[in-house]
């Protein structure tokens, strides 16, 4: 029976006893006065009717106690039964019809209003139920509490201390208790008392219960509570279900709580189970989850201990995806397959797990949660277990850890970790044995990992890792790295504060293979690696280093004066880098870059080197580079020079260079530019196979035009002093091929019309195609043909044809060269010209069948006419002083010829004697004519001219003196000193009588007057 019902029965009994005390009077008025007096003495307003008053039996009707407007009790009838004892009347039974009571709960005490004044004071002894027969048809209590209002309904009959049977129902639309809101509460309990021990049992329901963000819906409970006779001990069972429990952190489906308990005011304990069909959180979910164990409430403290089992536990899909992609953080590193594989397996394991743990929870001054013998088993076979110790959470000083943690299976690495911590918040120390872990071509082994953490100091971890795995398109074997990590209380992780020796057995990147090496990395700043607030910093400095190996099957060596790596920027700088790949050399004074994804990119400066055995040296390179994990590319510009001791080519600028190293293949393209004039010269394409040590280069010259300001000496020193003032366009293509056995090169170049100035005179209309059998050595095939429109060393020769060949060591073999020349031919004897040494170059020209008249016509001498045919030889020598003729000779053929002056001359011009001589000698014939030439082409030429057999020709006047003179055997020996190109004027002198007379006739006449013979000046003796 509830306390409210019990208090109401006692109040009714007081009224009934008052009535029963006047039974012997047998008078209703007397009884009424007694009751009224008793009520007035207690100060209780009341109304009632005594419907029946007999010996031991009383019946009151229309009972109203309290303020009539708001009564504390209303009953349609109440009957009591009393018994007279020596101490007075005693209530032994009571019955009631429909009773309505207004009750209030304040400060933990139940009040029935004015009825409280009718109740006897507490005896101070144990609370017991009275030996009273009660029969209540329908008692309803309106209970007002600080938590809300409730309506109670009581019915039942029987002796209160033994045999009472009844029902208690309660409803409450909304209660707020200890911050929880209970909506739609309904109960319907069965009450019974057996041997003074009451027991209540029955269901309870609530539509919702909300406590601090936790909302339970469709709550249903079943309570079976038994009390001791003195109501100071209890026992029973309870079961509560909820269709859904929601909180900000989780949602539970179909919660079922069941417990059996026993206790008293000092201590209550029991066993229980908690089952949930499913749990859903932002980060994880589970299927059927149950807990079973023991609990205890004592002195305001709760203790719970039991076993938790959760089936089909899974991380949220987003967490699974995030876990599966954890391997991306190590992309491009040797550990990537291990991290990625473990991440994938951990993600797979997180989809379906069973979690089993022994839990102990205590509350009081602080709440402590202890986890013992926990185990997580995934459907994939992965597992993690904690035994031989526990994890305790809730100490004000921190977590306390102790025991052994093991994990492995399902593709995850196997490890055993032992942890010791003497007290909460104290330093944790331990060691971990991690089995070698290998997958997808990567392998990791660790020496025992030793660590200390917590307390007042930082966390320290030491081990040595040996790692094998893929690296940027290649692989590293047995990379050994000692690890000394420090995690301070500010949350900063530093790894290797001191210089650290590392080494590897073998390293391969793309087609690069490095042999065993040992390096020493020294930190830049506080440590090699520093991690704080999610950011990574630190870096390494590397001293002078040499690495050996192979690249593309060729021997490889890398040397650097030093290197630096900055982790925050993922950048690095190498200085004075020099690599040798077989016969290929590549170097840079500075190589800078940063890691991007699985590759890297950056800039280089001071680049240079030599590809294979190609005699081209690269230098002053600068530009950008990129490595994508397999392919290395460079873009920029550099300088190209001839490697010969005496360079054959002037240095060139190479621009728009595109260089690619893919596996063992090198490909480079670019433009060769003459740097002083920025004139494009050729487009270059280079292909090289490192594994074979062979390759080829193509130089395409689409059209190279020479003009004023751009001359061949800007491209090669070989033309300096040989040709100048070049005008024209050259085009063609060259190819250079190389193997480990050597280099060969070919090429074909053509010009349609080239004009130039040579030491022997201007050349126009030079045309032809030259086919090189050794382009680098400037060696051609035999029988190369060049045609020349005109060469004019002072005497123009046209329409020449030269057959030649370029020989090694910068020599030119002229097989034959021939020109039409004044009705005859001019031929160059076969010769070899050496342009590779500071030596004289000799050419011998032969004149065959030159017609004197046609020769003069070339100079437009309209007043001269000549006949005769000449042959001769013109040996020429070219050296650093220029060109000269040495022993040149032209000789008239047998039969001689004639010389005639067709112009007019008057006495005024020569005087009487001169005019007479001119008229006589204006037309001469000769039997022989010999011209000898010696001297430089650009300086004073010494020319000797000899005439013999001179006679008057047609149209000449004669007299006695001249007839005698012409019968003399005269021989002229004349020496002329003049520039070679001034010989034109001298030639006019030879053939122009006017000039001859002016210069020599008077001296001749004077000499004839004194001698019997004639001996002209600068002539030989004549008989």
């Amino acid at each position: 029976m509830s306390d409210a019902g019990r208090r109401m029965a006692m109040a009714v009994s007081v009224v009934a006893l008052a009535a029963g005390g006047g039974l012997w009077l047998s008078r209703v008025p007397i009884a009424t006065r007694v009751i009224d007096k008793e009520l007035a003495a207690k100060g209780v307003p009341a109304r009632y009717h005594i419907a029946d008053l007999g010996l031991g039996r009383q019946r009151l009707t229309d009972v109203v106690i309290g303020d009539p407007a708001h009564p504390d009790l209303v009953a349609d009838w109440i009957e009591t039964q009393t018994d007279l004892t020596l101490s007075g009347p005693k209530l032994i039974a009571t019955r009631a019809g429909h009773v309505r009571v207004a009750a209030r709960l304040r400060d933990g005490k139940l009040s029935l209003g004015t009825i409280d004044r009718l109740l006897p004071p507490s005896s101070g002894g144990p609370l017991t139920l009275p030996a009273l027969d009660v029969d209540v048809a329908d008692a309803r209590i309106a209970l007002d509490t600080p938590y809300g209002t409730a309506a109670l309904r009581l019915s039942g009959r029987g002796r209160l201390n033994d045999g009472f049977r009844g029902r208690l129902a309660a409803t409450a639309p909304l209660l707020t208790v200890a911050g929880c809101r209970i909506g739609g509460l309904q109960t319907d309990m069965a009450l019974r008392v057996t041997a003074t021990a009451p027991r209540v049992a029955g269901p309870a329901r609530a539509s919702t219960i909300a406590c601090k963000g936790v909302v339970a819906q469709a709550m249903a409970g079943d309570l079976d509570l038994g009390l001791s006779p003195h109501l100071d001990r209890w026992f029973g069972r309870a079961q509560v279900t909820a269709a859904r429990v929601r909180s900000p952190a989780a949602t539970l489906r179909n919660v079922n709580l069941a417990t059996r308990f026993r206790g008293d005011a000092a201590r209550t304990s029991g066993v229980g189970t908690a089952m949930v069909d499913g749990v859903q959180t932002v980060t994880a979910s589970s299927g059927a989850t149950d807990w079973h164990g023991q609990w205890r409430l004592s002195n305001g403290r709760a203790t719970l201990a039991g076993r938790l089992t959760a089936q089909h536990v899974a991380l949220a899909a987003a967490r699974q995806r995030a876990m599966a992609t954890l391997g991306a953080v190590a992309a491009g590193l040797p550990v990537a397959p291990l991290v990625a594989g473990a991440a994938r397996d951990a993600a797979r394991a997180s989809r379906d797990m069973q979690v089993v743990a022994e839990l102990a929870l205590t509350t009081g001054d602080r709440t402590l949660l202890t986890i013992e013998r926990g185990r997580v088993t995934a459907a994939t076979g992965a597992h993690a277990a904690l035994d031989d110790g526990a994890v305790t959470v809730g100490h004000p000083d921190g977590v306390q850890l102790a025991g052994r943690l093991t994990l492995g299976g399902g593709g995850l690495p196997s490890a055993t970790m032992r942890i010791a911590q003497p007290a909460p918040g104290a330093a944790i120390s331990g060691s971990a044995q991690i089995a070698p872990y290998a997958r997808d071509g990567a392998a990791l082994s660790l020496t025992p990992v030793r660590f200390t953490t917590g307390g007042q100091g930082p966390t320290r971890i030491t081990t040595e890792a040996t790692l094998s795995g893929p690296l940027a398109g290649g692989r590293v074997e047995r990379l050994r790295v000692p690890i000394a990590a420090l995690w301070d209380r500010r949350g900063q992780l530093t790894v290797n504060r001191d210089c650290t020796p590392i080494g590897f057995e073998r390293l391969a990147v793309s087609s690069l293979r490095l042999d065993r090496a040992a390096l020493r990395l020294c930190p830049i700043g506080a440590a090699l690696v520093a991690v704080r607030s999610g950011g990574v910093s630190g870096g390494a400095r590397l001293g002078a280093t040499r690495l050996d190996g192979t690249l593309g099957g060729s021997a490889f060596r890398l040397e650097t004066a030093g290197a630096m790596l900055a982790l925050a920027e993922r950048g690095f700088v190498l200085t004075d880098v020099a690599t040798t790949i077989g016969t290929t050399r590549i170097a840079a004074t500075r190589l800078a870059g940063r890691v991007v994804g699985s590759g890297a990119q950056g800039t280089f400066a001071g680049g240079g080197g030599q590809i294979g055995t190609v005699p081209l040296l690269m230098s002053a390179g600068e530009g950008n580079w990129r490595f994508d994990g397999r392919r290395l590319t460079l873009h920029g510009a550099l300088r190209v020079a001839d490697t010969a001791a005496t360079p054959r080519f002037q240095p060139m600028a190479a621009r728009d260079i595109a260089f690619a190293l893919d596996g063992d293949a090198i490909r480079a393209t670019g433009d060769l530019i003459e740097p002083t004039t920025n004139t494009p010269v050729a487009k270059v394409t280079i292909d090289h196979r490192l594994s074979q040590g062979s390759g080829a280069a193509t130089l395409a010259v689409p059209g190279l035009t020479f003009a004023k300001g751009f001359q061949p000496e800007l491209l090669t020193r070989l033309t300096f002093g040989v040709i100048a003032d070049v005008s024209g366009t050259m085009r063609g293509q060259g190819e250079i091929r190389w193997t480990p056995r050597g280099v060969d090169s070919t090429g074909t170049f053509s010009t349609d019309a080239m004009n130039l100035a040579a030491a022997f005179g201007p050349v126009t209309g030079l045309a032809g195609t030259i086919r090189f059998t050794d382009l680098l050595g400037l060696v051609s095939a035999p029988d190369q043909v060049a045609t020349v429109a005109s060469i004019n060393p002072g005497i123009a020769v046209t329409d020449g044809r030269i057959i030649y060949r370029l020989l090694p060591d910068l020599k030119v073999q002229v097989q034959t060269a021939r020109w039409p020349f004044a009705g005859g031919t001019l031929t160059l004897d076969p010769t070899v010209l050496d342009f590779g040494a500071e030596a004289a170059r000799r050419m011998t020209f032969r004149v065959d069948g030159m017609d004197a008249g046609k020769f003069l016509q070339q100079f437009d001498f309209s007043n001269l006419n000549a006949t005769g045919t000449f042959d001769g030889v013109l040996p020429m020598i070219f050296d650093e002083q220029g060109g000269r003729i040495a022993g040149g000779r032209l000789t008239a053929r047998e039969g001689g010829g004639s010389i005639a002056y067709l112009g007019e001359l008057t006495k005024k011009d020569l005087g009487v004697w001169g005019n007479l001589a001119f008229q006589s000698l204006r037309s001469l014939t000769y039997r022989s004519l010999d011209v000898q030439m010696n001297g430089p082409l650009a300086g004073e030429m010494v020319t000797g001219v000899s005439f013999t057999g001179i006679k008057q020709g047609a149209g000449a006047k004669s007299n006695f003196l001249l007839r005698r003179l012409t019968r003399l055997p005269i021989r002229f020996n004349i020496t002329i000193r003049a520039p070679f190109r001034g010989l034109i004027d001298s030639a006019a002198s030879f053939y122009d009588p006017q000039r001859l007379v002016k210069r020599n006739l008077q001296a001749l006449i004077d000499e004839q007057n004194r001698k019997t013979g004639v001996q002209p000046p600068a002539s030989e003796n004549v008989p």
Side-chain angles (χ1 to χ4, degrees), residues 615-633:
L616 298 176
L617 184 64
M618 297 174 288
S619 62
E622 60 180 19
N624 303 317
W625 63 270
R626 182 179 182 87
F627 181 66
D628 62 6
R630 183 184 63 86
R631 190 169 184 263
L632 173 66
T633 58

Side-chain angles (χ1 to χ4, degrees), residues 118-142:
L118 302 176
L119 298 178
S122 173
S123 64
L127 179 63
T128 60
L129 293 175
L132 179 66
D133 283 327
V134 175
D135 185 352
V136 179
D138 181 15
R140 300 187 183 188
I141 305 170

Side-chain angles (χ1 to χ4, degrees), residues 13 16-24 54-58 79-94 131-133 159:
S13 298
L17 284 172
L23 286 178
W24 62 87
L55 183 62
R57 175 174 168 275
Q58 302 83 32
E79 286 187 0
T80 62
Q81 186 174 355
T82 60
D83 189 15
L84 292 176
T85 66
L86 295 177
S87 58
K90 178 182 178 182
L91 181 65
I92 59 174
T94 182
L132 179 66
D133 283 327
R159 193 178 180 87

Side-chain angles (χ1 to χ4, degrees), residues 762-789:
V763 177
T764 61
L766 175 64
T769 297
I770 181 170
R771 294 173 175 82
F772 289 96
T773 57
D774 181 0
L775 178 62
L776 294 173
L778 295 180
V779 176
S780 73
D783 302 326
Q784 301 301 301
V785 177
T787 60
V788 182

Side-chain angles (χ1 to χ4, degrees), residues 51 93 279 535 605 882 947:
V279 179
F947 289 92

Side-chain angles (χ1 to χ4, degrees), residues 556-569:
F556 172 86
R557 173 171 293 175
L558 169 67
E559 295 177 287
T560 177
M564 297 181 71
L565 170 67
L567 294 181
E569 298 80 12

Side-chain angles (χ1 to χ4, degrees), residues 179-246:
C180 294
R181 294 168 60 87
I182 304 172
L185 177 64
Q186 295 180 352
T187 65
D188 186 6
M189 301 288 184
L191 299 177
R192 66 179 180 173
V193 179
T194 303
T196 72
R199 190 163 189 169
V200 59
R205 298 180 182 279
S207 60
T208 60
I209 297 179
C211 299
K212 297 180 180 179
V214 178
V215 178
Q217 296 176 319
M219 296 285 293
D222 189 11
L223 176 66
D224 186 355
L225 173 64
L227 299 174
S228 66
H230 294 292
L231 307 181
D232 56 355
R233 288 178 291 116
W234 45 81
F235 65 92
R237 64 176 179 81
Q239 182 173 353
V240 179
T241 63
R244 188 179 302 274
V245 177
R246 293 181 301 175

Side-chain angles (χ1 to χ4, degrees), residues 2 67 154 225 369 533 550 679 691 746 769 811 926:
S2 70
D67 183 359
L154 177 66
L225 173 64
L369 173 64
S533 300
T550 62
T679 300
S691 58
T746 58
T769 297
K811 295 178 180 179
Y926 59 88

